[in-house]
Amino acid sequence: MVQEQSNLEQTEVVIKVKRYNQEKGEYWSEYKLSVDRFTQMTEVLRRVKTEQDPTIAYRASCHMAVCGSCAMKINGEPRLACKTLALDMVKKYGSNQITVEPMDFFKVEKDLIVDMDDFYARMFTVKPRLYPSEEVLKGNAESRLRPEDQKELWKFAQCIWCGLCVSSCPAVRIDSKFLGPAAHAKGYRFLADPRDTIYDERLKILGDSAWRCTYCYQCFNVCPRDVEPVTTIKKTRAQTRFLKDKTEVVKTGEKHVRAIYESIRDTGKLEEAKVYLTTYGLATAITDMLYTMRNGKMSFALIKEKKVSEIAQIQKLMGEKE
Amino acid sequence: MDKLLYDAVVLGGGLAGLMSAHEIASAGYRVAVISKVFPTRSHSSSAEGGIAAYVKGNSDPNDNPDYMTYDTVKGGDYLVDQDAAELLSQKSGEIVEIMERWGTLFNRQPDGRVALRYFGGQTYPRTRFVGDKTGMALLHTLFERVSGLSVDFFNEWFALDLVLDEKRVAGVLAMEMKSMEPSLFKAKAVVLATGGMGMLYAHTTNAYINTGDGYAMALRAGAALKDPEFVQFHPTALYPSDILISEAARGEGGILRNNKGERFMARYAPKKLDLAPRDIASRSIIIEIREGRGFPGNYVGLDLTHLGESYIKERLALAYEAAMNFAGVDATKEPIPVRPAQHYYMGGVDVDITGTNGDLQGLFAAGEAACVSVHGANRLGSNSLLETLVFGRETGRTVVEYLRTHNESTSTTLEGEAEKLLEQAYSFVKSESGIHFGEIQNKLRQVMWDDVGIFRNEDLLKSGLSEVEKMRTQVKEMYVTDKSKVYNTEFFNALELRNMMDLAVVISKAALVRTESRGAHFRTDYPERDDKNWLKHTIAYLKGNQVEIGYKPVTLTRWQPEARVY
Ligand SMILES: Cc1cc2nc3c(=O)[nH]c(=O)nc-3n(C[C@H](O)[C@H](O)[C@H](O)COP(=O)(O)OP(=O)(O)OC[C@H]3O[C@@H](n4cnc5c(N)ncnc54)[C@H](O)[C@@H]3O)c2cc1C
Ligand code: SF4
Ligand code: SF4
Ligand code: FES
């Protein structure tokens, strides 16, 4: 057989794992092991479990960032363990010690395993499946999809239900009526599918919740699949103008955005918008408003790619697009 | 012990299990799906390159299902049951259309129809795909669909064993991983859709959870495995983490090169070149490495650079991403370092074309857990996703028929049986000292890789078998150090290792007995295919410490064996 050899340079690291179980409560365990530049954190955990401490509990399956099992906090960052190379963490933090903790927000069951039931419940709330027409379902009608629609939808369909975005979303924590980023991404993937037949019902499920997001962009930052849940929330907000029974949250949200928008367009002054803008940054805020003001079916990408730096430019952009 | 009553229990929440459950539930029966992970974490999610299908009106104009069957039969080195392969080809288009209707976002041609690409061993291109995350796209679609039906999901429940009533399967013993509480699931029918067994090998593209549980459960219950010696190795696993670089990479024009920059496949498969089937490509790579034409560390290069950046990033996104993230290689600029790794298990629970096992009434199997056999001695790329869905559905339908025509077990001994099985499992937790699972598991994986791997011979197999037998005895003295009562994953890992051992001994024995080379089973001491003596399926039983080997004829319909050259 081919000689197994690893001629890769080995580095010793210290892995500090936050442990928990019902019997012992919370405590930390430390493990030393040698890794090379390709060693994934899932492999670190597997080696700890098989070579040093079989009691450590964590989830992992695919080791290639598609199953969503291994979400946890590594050096405080919400990450997939398999998508994280141990030595990248060492380099980034300038320390050979790597800490591993369970995800925030969810209840810890044991060590790195958290209870995901609440997450799954949110996902199922948005009716995560296509409801095509009867004709299509029976196979009597062909359902073609334009390549560009496929591309757009696929981006949001790539959510692997890992829960990282929800674990780091501030709105979910304080607002029980907010569905959370992942559910919005999932919901939007079907809301925007031209073959779906329950648009109104979906909009009703998503509309109110969409106005409860704080636009902090945490979900955007942590998502390992680049799903951009916040983008789907923006796109959903842009469609709540089609909503039949608007809740107070939707009405206030839409009104607020319109007021700011008009103020900027008419006076060029940012006074009214100050809070909003300082919180979210100028470019982001303007982009968000434009999203909201427009029909969801217009070309978002165009707007998003424009770099907005000057107020004159903003007004021009608004004028052009209005 | 709690008791739950169902018409049918499906073990496994991957594509095969979900498709069976869909059929059973749609017919109005009560069905439970038990999975040791949340269904979308199943291994099916990792499938990359695509699903093969002849779709009427949307295929190469020269193609037809017969070519597809022929490719499959030849690819499988004539160990394929040809009636099964015919069914697979004929139903392929329909299955893809169903998934499409349910919302799978297949890549499109400019006119909006589903796109297609070449895969190894195909006469005409017929693989349908969603970027290179086809498995994930299909699995999510199907899970989302089935979660809308009245199916009871038992996620993160570990199935320990089948529960028998005489010669008939009457239930399943499973444990909730969170509470560690066991339950007896009583049912008239059980579908094993527990997937593959990559963790038996030191190098594998498979998920950590692929420990062959279903094969072992079937063996312990007295059912046979068919063709257990046939283990597929994929030629292009990323060095060194063994993440799969999909065959799509070669399908889209990727070229294998040695350290001299040579397109070495020209030597081994002059016509098909880099698109030669997996067994041939795997062996070719190992030979190149052995003869000193590999790169330091023992790998070869998979060159995509000529395809251009935008093409690579769009059509081979995952390959690009994996090379970048896990090997620090920019595939648009330099070849991806690859080497072979275990990838798929052609062997499996012996079932016929309907998914029915002949040994135990009430036992059915589908997907990678089953051997129907459509893959024979070597599976063609993108035929397995197809198999999970086509035969998942066939099996589900068979179960529905079975439920209509069979009565419930009246046995009163089931609970006693379940208690006994539970005792056997608990015996690991009870002892106070011994070895823990990890010590044996790592060794087993290395022995299987070294001795029961890509190149086999009598000496290797004999020593491999005796090592495995030794370890199998050790497992009986294994103990679990963790005593906690919530998610005691050490306990489940120990049970998985018990399963791996039961399977390993069967694979090694069957490989030793088959004195020929066919498909993925390559014997350096018997390098030729021997149709006279070996055109037959191996049927293996596990009786205590003995592996009993018998044979079954291969079903031939229209295609007579011919030399397998590419
Ligand atoms: C990296 C990779 C890429 C691939 N790419 C392709 C491709 O492009 N095209 C193609 O056709 N094929 C491909 N394959 C093969 C294909 O993905 C698999 O063969 C197929 O997905 C298997 O599906 P399944 O439903 O049989 O099993 P799985 O999807 O593996 O599901 C098994 C299920 O059984 C459950 N289970 C197992 N044991 C237990 C237990 N003890 N108790 C409870 N539940 C249990 C698991 O939780 C899981 O839900 C690929 C394979 C790999 C490794
Ligand atoms: S942007 Fe919205 S959804 Fe995303 S993390 Fe912030 S509050 Fe949550
Ligand atoms: S949106 Fe991204 S971070 Fe959130 S659950 Fe899905 S994949 Fe994970
Ligand atoms: S193990 Fe599957 S995402 Fe990390």
Side-chain angles (χ1 to χ4, degrees):
Chain A
M1 205 56 248
V2 181
Q3 257 309 301
E4 286 296 318
Q5 61 171 89
S6 171
N7 50 2
L8 300 168
E9 198 187 316
Q10 301 285 312
T11 308
E12 183 156 289
V13 292
V14 176
I15 309 295
K16 272 191 75 174
V17 184
K18 190 173 189 181
R19 310 287 300 273
Y20 168 81
N21 65 43
Q22 280 174 352
E23 293 80 16
K24 289 204 221 165
E26 215 174 275
Y27 61 103
W28 290 82
S29 295
E30 250 184 58
Y31 309 96
K32 263 195 203 108
L33 76 168
S34 295
V35 299
D36 60 49
R37 68 188 178 99
F38 298 120
T39 309
Q40 300 160 264
M41 285 303 292
T42 36
E43 200 49 24
V44 165
L45 291 168
R46 189 190 71 80
R47 280 180 49 203
V48 167
K49 192 166 176 73
T50 54
E51 292 163 15
Q52 300 188 31
D53 179 357
T55 69
I56 186 172
Y58 63 95
R59 289 187 178 108
S61 177
C62 70
H63 65 70
M64 50 193 279
V66 291
C67 79
S69 304
C70 63
M72 55 188 73
K73 277 200 310 183
I74 303 177
N75 280 358
E77 295 180 31
R79 304 181 73 106
L80 292 181
C82 64
K83 212 182 168 186
T84 305
L85 300 182
L87 289 187
D88 283 354
M89 283 291 145
V90 169
K91 217 187 287 164
K92 183 166 174 189
Y93 289 89
S95 158
N96 277 27
Q97 180 176 298
I98 303 169
T99 62
V100 182
E101 298 163 81
M103 269 193 284
D104 288 336
F105 180 67
F106 303 107
K107 177 176 170 277
V108 181
E109 294 289 351
K110 179 165 177 205
D111 298 346
L112 302 170
I113 298 182
V114 297
D115 182 351
M116 300 280 287
D117 287 353
D118 169 74
F119 175 85
Y120 297 138
R122 288 165 193 273
M123 295 300 267
F124 290 127
T125 307
V126 303
K127 301 200 152 208
R129 62 195 68 89
L130 191 68
Y131 291 87
S133 73
E134 275 305 308
E135 285 303 288
V136 168
L137 256 190
K138 283 193 203 121
N140 298 338
E142 200 186 355
S143 66
R144 295 195 182 188
L145 193 62
R146 294 185 310 163
E148 52 278 25
D149 289 341
Q150 187 268 349
K151 250 192 218 161
E152 155 97 0
L153 296 174
W154 176 232
K155 177 170 180 62
F156 306 120
Q158 290 197 45
C159 168
I160 54 177
W161 301 50
C162 70
L164 284 171
C165 55
V166 172
S167 79
S168 50
C169 170
V172 162
R173 250 171 257 194
I174 52 167
D175 184 348
S176 63
K177 292 212 172 102
F178 180 48
L179 289 166
H184 269 286
K186 188 48 81 180
Y188 182 79
R189 174 256 171 277
F190 292 106
L191 184 74
D193 195 315
R195 303 167 301 175
D196 194 67
T197 56
I198 58 163
Y199 178 84
D200 291 340
E201 190 183 344
R202 291 192 188 283
L203 197 57
K204 191 152 182 256
I205 296 170
L206 297 168
D208 174 75
S209 174
W211 286 96
R212 293 169 183 272
C213 155
T214 69
Y215 276 4
C216 72
Y217 275 69
Q218 260 309 97
C219 55
F220 180 98
N221 293 333
V222 303
C223 177
R225 289 255 64 102
D226 212 10
V227 172
E228 299 185 15
V230 61
T231 305
T232 67
I233 294 175
K234 285 178 196 172
K235 294 189 175 205
T236 305
R237 279 192 188 182
Q239 297 190 25
T240 56
R241 57 204 318 229
F242 304 120
L243 201 56
K244 291 198 185 83
D245 307 304
K246 293 185 190 184
T247 64
E248 278 312 307
V249 177
V250 176
K251 282 187 204 152
T252 316
E254 285 182 347
K255 219 160 64 195
H256 187 55
V257 168
R258 174 157 289 279
I260 299 170
Y261 175 84
E262 282 169 356
S263 156
I264 299 174
R265 187 193 56 195
D266 301 341
T267 68
K269 283 201 193 125
L270 299 177
E271 295 302 313
E272 242 182 295
K274 226 172 208 160
V275 184
Y276 188 73
L277 295 177
T278 44
T279 316
Y280 306 120
L282 184 63
T284 305
I286 297 296
T287 316
D288 291 352
M289 274 186 275
L290 289 170
Y291 267 121
T292 312
M293 297 305 298
R294 295 209 160 82
N295 184 323
K297 275 143 198 138
M298 277 180 58
S299 49
F300 301 104
L302 231 174
I303 301 169
K304 209 181 148 209
E305 272 149 27
K306 288 239 161 93
K307 285 235 158 52
V308 186
S309 55
E310 306 269 338
I311 192 68
Q313 219 179 313
I314 293 167
Q315 282 173 309
K316 192 166 160 251
L317 182 60
M318 286 173 153
E320 268 172 16
K321 292 281 153 189
E322 180 69 5
Chain B
M1 191 183 307
D2 271 357
K3 268 176 307 187
L4 294 149
L5 196 61
Y6 284 94
D7 294 314
V9 170
V10 174
L11 289 186
L15 284 170
L18 292 175
M19 199 56 152
S20 297
H22 181 275
E23 290 307 298
I24 300 168
S26 304
Y29 288 102
R30 280 179 38 84
V31 54
V33 172
I34 301 178
S35 168
K36 62 182 179 179
V37 293
F38 187 74
T40 55
R41 323 276 192 235
S42 300
H43 180 58
S44 291
S45 69
S46 337
E48 301 178 7
I51 174 167
Y54 171 80
V55 182
K56 218 168 154 196
N58 184 17
S59 288
D60 188 291
N62 297 310
D63 201 6
N64 71 47
D66 283 349
Y67 280 114
M68 186 167 171
T69 308
Y70 169 76
D71 289 345
T72 302
V73 167
K74 180 178 172 193
D77 224 351
Y78 295 90
L79 199 66
V80 172
D81 279 338
Q82 296 180 2
D83 54 344
E86 284 176 32
L87 187 75
L88 185 77
S89 310
Q90 277 151 12
K91 304 246 160 152
S92 62
E94 194 187 327
I95 276 292
V96 164
E97 279 172 352
I98 288 175
M99 294 311 290
E100 144 83 6
R101 267 177 239 142
W102 290 350
T104 304
L105 292 166
F106 286 106
N107 276 49
R108 303 286 154 164
Q109 305 176 33
D111 66 2
R113 292 181 306 160
V114 173
L116 63 176
R117 64 162 53 130
Y118 256 123
F119 246 56
Q122 293 179 348
T123 307
Y124 298 103
R126 57 176 87 90
T127 293
R128 319 285 159 165
F129 56 98
V130 184
D132 45 13
K133 295 198 192 73
T134 313
M136 185 204 128
L138 291 170
L139 183 62
H140 282 249
T141 305
L142 191 52
F143 172 63
E144 291 166 3
R145 170 104 193 152
V146 177
S147 70
L149 304 176
S150 61
V151 169
D152 288 349
F153 280 95
F154 293 84
N155 300 328
E156 299 195 328
W157 277 67
F158 191 100
L160 281 74
D161 264 309
L162 301 172
V163 182
L164 302 191
D165 150 20
E166 308 280 313
K167 269 269 163 206
R168 152 174 171 163
V169 175
V172 173
L173 171 66
M175 253 170 114
E176 188 186 27
M177 296 173 76
K178 178 171 170 178
S179 67
M180 305 300 287
E181 288 291 338
S183 287
L184 168 62
F185 290 74
K186 284 195 190 178
K188 278 199 275 183
V190 175
V191 178
L192 282 173
T194 41
M197 58 74 166
M199 286 301 279
L200 259 75
Y201 284 83
H203 297 291
T204 179
T205 60
N206 281 201
Y208 290 123
I209 59 167
N210 281 15
T211 50
D213 301 349
Y215 310 115
M217 273 186 257
L219 284 168
R220 282 198 295 271
L225 296 194
K226 186 155 65 203
D227 298 333
E229 61 273 41
F230 293 95
V231 179
Q232 179 165 72
F233 297 86
H234 197 292
T236 60
L238 185 66
Y239 171 86
S241 40
D242 296 319
I243 290 168
L244 181 78
I245 301 298
S246 165
E247 188 162 307
R250 286 176 295 136
E252 298 282 0
I255 294 173
L256 289 163
R257 295 192 191 281
N258 61 21
N259 65 12
K260 294 188 179 129
E262 288 170 332
R263 184 178 204 176
F264 59 83
M265 284 310 294
R267 257 198 291 286
Y268 307 96
K271 280 205 219 117
K272 280 268 161 191
L273 294 164
D274 304 280
L275 271 181
R278 294 173 173 177
D279 56 331
I280 296 178
S282 292
R283 287 195 295 273
S284 308
I285 292 172
I286 297 282
I287 293 170
E288 288 295 306
I289 292 172
R290 274 194 190 165
E291 294 181 353
R293 293 187 296 274
F295 292 93
N298 289 329
Y299 60 85
V300 296
L302 176 62
D303 189 357
L304 308 181
T305 53
H306 55 285
L307 298 177
E309 184 170 336
S310 61
Y311 195 81
I312 294 174
K313 284 186 177 165
E314 192 204 323
R315 307 264 288 203
L316 300 168
L318 194 63
Y320 173 80
E321 191 187 303
M324 188 59 106
N325 287 339
F326 303 117
V329 166
D330 181 347
T332 64
K333 301 204 172 74
E334 52 178 324
I336 302 175
V338 294
R339 66 172 170 200
Q342 189 284 344
H343 182 61
Y344 184 83
Y345 192 40
M346 272 80 67
V349 177
D350 178 25
V351 293
D352 62 18
I353 195 166
T354 69
T356 310
N357 170 270
D359 299 305
L360 295 170
Q361 221 190 76
L363 182 62
F364 304 84
E368 196 168 338
C371 180
V372 175
S373 94
V374 284
H375 309 304
N378 172 58
R379 167 175 78 90
L380 286 190
S382 74
N383 263 1
S384 158
L385 286 178
L386 179 63
E387 182 203 4
T388 62
L389 295 175
V390 168
F391 285 93
R393 189 169 68 148
E394 292 300 308
T395 306
R397 290 178 173 173
T398 307
V399 169
V400 168
E401 217 19 66
Y402 180 85
L403 293 174
R404 271 196 197 116
T405 49
H406 285 74
N407 295 326
E408 214 167 291
S409 160
T410 50
S411 166
T412 48
T413 59
L414 285 188
E415 276 144 71
E417 288 298 313
E419 290 291 347
K420 240 191 286 170
L421 295 167
L422 188 63
E423 270 316 297
Q424 283 169 20
Y426 277 155
S427 66
F428 297 130
V429 201
K430 284 199 178 131
S431 40
E432 284 304 322
S433 65
I435 26 180
H436 69 77
F437 83 94
E439 294 176 49
I440 315 176
Q441 197 191 76
N442 286 340
K443 193 167 156 210
L444 170 73
R445 300 180 65 200
Q446 199 57 50
V447 167
M448 291 300 286
W449 179 257
D450 289 340
D451 297 349
V452 197
I454 299 176
F455 285 101
R456 304 166 169 183
N457 65 43
E458 187 173 324
D459 289 346
L460 285 175
L461 290 168
K462 273 192 172 151
S463 93
L465 180 60
S466 90
E467 293 266 359
V468 170
E469 281 171 340
K470 244 185 275 160
M471 284 186 268
R472 201 161 161 253
T473 333
Q474 280 184 318
V475 163
K476 295 186 179 127
E477 290 149 25
M478 185 167 57
Y479 90 121
V480 170
T481 64
D482 190 359
K483 305 293 176 205
S484 77
K485 293 188 182 62
V486 174
Y487 282 108
N488 189 332
T489 53
E490 184 186 355
F491 177 59
F492 296 112
N493 287 154
L495 293 178
E496 286 172 343
L497 182 62
R498 172 176 72 156
N499 292 335
M500 288 162 77
M501 283 298 167
D502 287 350
L503 179 59
V505 70
V506 172
I507 295 177
S508 314
K509 182 66 192 277
L512 178 62
V513 171
R514 186 177 281 268
T515 50
E516 67 155 351
S517 290
R518 185 183 293 271
H521 173 68
F522 193 82
R523 296 274 306 247
T524 52
D525 44 355
Y526 299 93
E528 298 300 320
R529 190 175 84 196
D530 175 2
D531 285 334
K532 205 164 130 251
N533 296 305
W534 287 107
L535 185 59
K536 57 189 180 188
H537 295 297
T538 302
I539 301 295
Y541 292 91
L542 185 63
K543 304 251 161 88
N545 287 329
Q546 289 305 312
V547 180
E548 279 178 18
I549 304 259
Y551 301 97
K552 249 188 200 172
V554 174
T555 308
L556 304 179
T557 57
R558 297 159 59 187
W559 292 274
Q560 288 306 310
E562 54 180 57
R564 187 162 158 264
V565 281
Y566 286 97

